[in-house]
Amino acid sequence: MKPSIPGRLHALGLVAPRFDHAVDVVRHLTCVQSQLHDMALWSVARRTPGLTLADARAAFERGDFLRTHTMRGTWHFIDPADIHWLLTLTAPRMRQQMSSTNKAIGLSDERLDQCADVIVQMLAAGTPHTRPELAAGLEAAGLLHAGQELAHVVMHTEISALIVSGPMRGKQHTYVPLPPPPILPDREILLAEAATRYARGHGPVRDKDLAWWTGLTLTDSRRAIQLAGLRQMLVDDEQYWALDEPIEAEVPRVMLMSNFDEYISYARDPGDYARFAGTASDVMRGGGLLMIDGRLAGTWTRTISTTAVEIVIDRAAPMGSATRAALDAEAATFGRFVDREPRLVLTT
């Protein structure tokens, strides 16, 4: 929501998409936030010309990229080559942030490790398991857990770099074992890598943006920027750091984005919502974000039927003919992504 930051749109791959495969996008961005699986695949596809939902699903099913909890206690797509080093850096903070809730719901470190051992044993034969199947296996081992407890058990096993999401079974995610880690460099090298990757895939950044993205402390983020040797630049009298000389790009008139697109993966400011009639909570509840001239201007949802996809724009302000034409073009692109005829509905 900061289109005025020099080079940001180009770094994010949102203008003149330059990626050939889904995994190229994931690798470039390092992580793609993915609570809503298919909408996260749309984040990948809008940076990859011609990539359809079927193509993106197939890439995920093949394991071209993985899905697990990597940062901020939430799901992300990630390149298999990046998962171990990033979890080594971010998992301690996620454990720390989970600890008070774990204690409140009766999950000791010993209990979590016992559950993780059972889950690893269940998956050792190579058959993917759904979360209900993992719950049944834990119950059989005398470790009954459900609801929030089960979610924390599975997440603990994920951030311990033992399991990741596997191929979909219908609408359910499965879990599969994660291979052992390679020998990794020391923490300062990993900090520098995180800062370098974030600046490469997101453009000029602030120290608090890197802290938000990784879930690391502000102190660690500042150290990471220093270790990475990023170049300083001022934008609107605020300190940013960049990897390379920013490449300017024209801001698209309209973008229909996933609600957790990496475009908004930074420490957001109140002014970012200035053109939006709703609240920050409305943004998180929506299926997607409507950007006009790079700024948040509404939310949208999609309903897919046999032949069509209905795209409902919520809180849409009145728009001129050029903006409406750009919105129609974006809706057509999303229609091609899901292989359905788009039907656009605007609510004010």
Side-chain angles (χ1 to χ4, degrees):
M1 293 182 279
K2 291 186 181 297
S4 62
I5 306 302
R8 189 160 184 266
L9 287 163
H10 181 271
L12 282 158
L14 290 171
V15 289
R18 59 190 186 275
F19 302 103
D20 295 325
H21 306 285
V23 68
D24 297 334
V25 176
V26 175
R27 185 178 296 126
H28 174 76
L29 296 173
T30 304
C31 284
V32 175
Q33 195 169 337
S34 59
Q35 285 97 313
L36 301 180
H37 184 66
D38 282 2
M39 289 303 287
L41 294 176
W42 166 238
S43 284
V44 173
R46 75 181 326 280
R47 294 165 165 88
T48 313
L51 190 77
T52 66
L53 177 58
D55 296 333
R57 283 174 172 169
F60 177 76
E61 296 293 305
R62 287 194 304 268
D64 291 1
F65 53 93
L66 305 176
R67 178 180 183 266
T68 192
H69 286 84
T70 54
M71 299 185 295
R72 307 190 304 278
T74 193
W75 280 287
H76 288 83
F77 293 145
I78 185 168
D79 182 347
D82 290 330
I83 191 167
H84 282 294
W85 76 261
L86 192 58
L87 278 176
T88 297
L89 194 60
T90 62
R93 281 280 289 172
M94 285 192 284
R95 287 195 187 92
Q96 183 182 25
Q97 291 160 356
M98 292 170 63
S99 62
S100 60
T101 302
N102 285 339
K103 183 177 180 180
I105 61 179
L107 288 175
S108 65
D109 291 345
E110 181 182 9
R111 181 79 166 191
L112 287 166
D113 289 339
Q114 288 175 336
C115 291
D117 288 342
V118 170
I119 289 173
V120 169
Q121 291 169 13
M122 291 175 64
L123 299 177
T127 302
H129 284 53
T130 64
R131 185 174 290 195
E133 289 169 344
L134 296 182
L138 290 168
E139 182 178 5
L143 298 167
L144 177 61
H145 291 294
Q148 187 180 27
E149 290 179 17
L150 179 62
H152 276 232
V153 163
V154 175
M155 183 175 168
H156 169 79
T157 313
E158 288 180 281
I159 67 175
S160 298
L162 298 172
I163 64 172
V164 296
S165 291
M168 299 292 291
R169 189 186 301 168
K171 293 185 178 181
Q172 293 191 75
H173 283 276
T174 66
Y175 295 88
V176 296
L178 184 65
I183 297 174
L184 295 171
D186 66 33
R187 190 171 187 272
E188 292 215 327
I189 293 175
L190 298 183
L191 282 170
E193 182 71 7
T196 298
R197 293 291 198 92
Y198 187 48
R200 181 192 72 183
H202 296 72
V205 299
R206 300 168 298 185
D207 49 9
K208 65 180 180 180
D209 296 332
L210 179 60
W212 186 93
W213 185 67
T214 58
L216 296 173
T217 65
L218 191 57
T219 298
D220 274 343
S221 294
R222 288 170 175 164
R223 178 62 175 156
I225 288 169
Q226 179 186 37
L227 291 166
L230 301 183
R231 59 189 296 271
Q232 297 184 44
M233 58 185 294
L234 282 178
V235 180
D236 297 331
D237 296 323
E238 194 170 9
Q239 183 67 67
Y240 281 75
W241 283 266
L243 180 62
D244 302 306
E245 186 68 28
I247 298 175
E248 295 285 9
E250 185 177 351
V251 179
R253 177 65 64 90
V254 173
M255 294 185 288
L256 287 177
M257 315 192 82
S258 165
N259 63 336
F260 296 114
D261 192 275
E262 289 300 303
Y263 184 57
I264 63 167
S265 284
Y266 64 91
R268 294 182 286 279
D269 303 313
D272 295 329
Y273 300 94
R275 299 184 187 178
F276 180 53
T279 66
S281 296
D282 294 325
V283 172
M284 296 302 101
R285 285 195 295 267
L289 306 178
L290 169 67
M291 301 290 173
I292 296 180
D293 296 326
R295 300 286 184 181
L296 178 65
T299 60
W300 62 283
T301 57
R302 84 280 188 236
T303 302
I304 299 176
S305 63
T306 304
T307 60
V309 54
E310 184 178 75
I311 299 170
V312 178
I313 309 293
D314 192 25
R315 296 183 176 86
M319 58 184 71
S321 58
T323 301
R324 178 56 197 258
L327 177 58
D328 289 339
E330 276 286 283
T333 300
F334 187 78
R336 288 190 293 272
F337 169 65
V338 296
D339 193 24
R340 297 290 190 275
E341 184 68 26
R343 296 175 182 167
L344 195 57
V345 178
L346 276 68
T347 67
T348 57

